[in-house]
Amino acid sequence: MDEKTLQDLFDGLRVNHLTMSYTHLLTGFVQSKTLLEKIADIARELKRSNPKLIYVCDPVMGDNGKMYVPMEVFEAYRDSILPLADIVTPNQFEAELLTGITIRSEKDALAAIDRLHSRGVPTVIISSSDLGDDKNLIGFGSAVNQGAGKLRFRMNIPRLPASFTGTGDLFTALLLAWMTKTGDLQRSCDITVSTLQAVLKRTWKHFQENCQDSQPCLRHLELRLIQSKRDIENPVVSVQCLNI
């Protein structure tokens, strides 16, 4: 999709007086600066129509030190999207890009989160970092509550011995769904991470039982979402966030 197609779709919503009915906006991978700036325009209009609209942004730009998008896309996230977002869910690499802070410790991670708060983002989730060990990934969550200080917590996320595609998309979608249902960020992260673990474990089991290739193959590591319907709808909390 390009910015003209998106504008045409949005114009159709406007003509039919549907823009006021939107309560949430979720965005993920965007490879074009012009498309991202168009999303910012639409987010502004949706927020004018409904000031209570919640914008959740997964600023997908890269991972493990590697950029997936041109530098101009990073600049658009920093300058146009962050001031509009209510919740952002960067990984460590993306948080470092957006803040200019190198994360080598929990203190660094919290400093990066505070910088994102200072740029107007009320809720920040660093969905994964390199601060864990062979058994666990570490994530962080923080929310600025008016008159109530800050909520901060750490997520210890069990590792599996494979790389999966689509985990960031699933994480952000689950987080938005459970935030809408519960209004409780820490509880929503408990459920989100637990659900994601259930899906990944089922996917890994499928891979072990079915893949005969000498190297892990993407076709057997595709997330088993349909098969995990019950876990998604009625999750069992197996991972709990820790206050910090």
Side-chain angles (χ1 to χ4, degrees):
M1 178 183 292
D2 59 20
E3 61 274 13
K4 183 182 183 304
T5 303
L6 179 60
Q7 186 64 59
D8 288 344
L9 291 170
F10 189 72
D11 287 344
L13 296 174
R14 187 192 294 115
V15 167
N16 288 284
H17 308 290
L18 295 174
T19 58
M20 293 181 65
S21 65
Y22 281 85
T23 58
H24 296 81
L25 174 65
L26 171 63
T27 60
F29 180 64
V30 179
Q31 197 169 14
S32 159
K33 177 184 178 182
T34 53
L35 178 56
L36 196 57
E37 289 177 340
K38 179 58 63 178
I39 290 171
D41 291 340
I42 288 172
R44 291 186 192 97
E45 183 167 343
L46 288 173
K47 281 178 171 278
R48 284 194 297 269
S49 298
N50 178 10
K52 293 183 179 180
L53 178 136
I54 302 298
Y55 177 19
V56 181
C57 172
D58 183 8
V60 180
M61 293 181 287
D63 201 3
N64 299 316
K66 181 181 178 181
M67 290 280 286
Y68 302 155
V69 298
M71 184 58 66
E72 62 184 9
V73 172
F74 149 69
E75 294 166 352
Y77 273 118
R78 181 193 61 198
D79 300 334
S80 299
I81 296 294
L82 282 185
L84 296 168
D86 298 285
I87 302 173
V88 295
T89 61
N91 59 33
Q92 175 179 328
F93 177 68
E94 293 155 351
E96 290 176 335
L97 281 175
L98 291 169
T99 64
I101 295 173
T102 300
I103 298 174
R104 295 195 177 96
S105 66
E106 182 175 293
K107 181 179 179 181
D108 295 334
L110 296 178
I113 285 172
D114 283 340
R115 185 160 296 178
L116 292 170
H117 284 321
S118 73
R119 293 178 179 169
V121 185
T123 300
V124 179
I125 305 292
I126 296 181
S127 58
S128 63
S129 76
D130 298 327
L131 301 181
D133 53 30
D134 291 341
K135 294 183 178 180
N136 292 283
L137 295 169
I138 303 294
F140 298 94
S142 179
V144 177
N145 302 311
Q146 292 183 352
K150 292 178 183 176
L151 167 69
R152 293 188 186 276
F153 54 86
R154 181 193 307 112
M155 299 178 286
N156 295 320
I157 307 169
R159 285 183 185 268
L160 288 171
S163 295
F164 302 91
T165 300
T167 54
D169 296 330
L170 180 57
F171 179 95
T172 307
L174 289 168
L175 179 66
L176 172 55
W178 285 104
M179 278 290 291
T180 303
K181 189 169 184 177
T182 70
D184 184 323
L185 177 63
Q186 189 164 341
R187 174 66 175 164
S188 296
C189 284
D190 288 343
I191 299 171
T192 294
V193 174
S194 297
T195 304
L196 189 56
Q197 281 292 301
V199 174
L200 293 182
K201 287 178 179 177
R202 181 170 285 103
T203 303
W204 178 243
K205 185 173 186 289
H206 172 77
F207 162 77
Q208 289 180 307
E209 293 175 347
N210 293 278
C211 185
Q212 304 299 319
D213 299 342
S214 58
Q215 296 294 326
C217 57
L218 292 178
R219 66 192 178 94
H220 286 118
L221 286 173
E222 184 175 349
L223 297 183
R224 308 292 285 173
L225 294 175
I226 302 302
Q227 296 80 0
S228 302
K229 180 176 182 289
R230 184 174 299 175
D231 294 308
I232 293 170
E233 293 178 337
N234 299 289
V236 174
V237 175
S238 59
V239 178
Q240 291 191 319
C241 302
L242 304 174
N243 289 323
I244 52 178

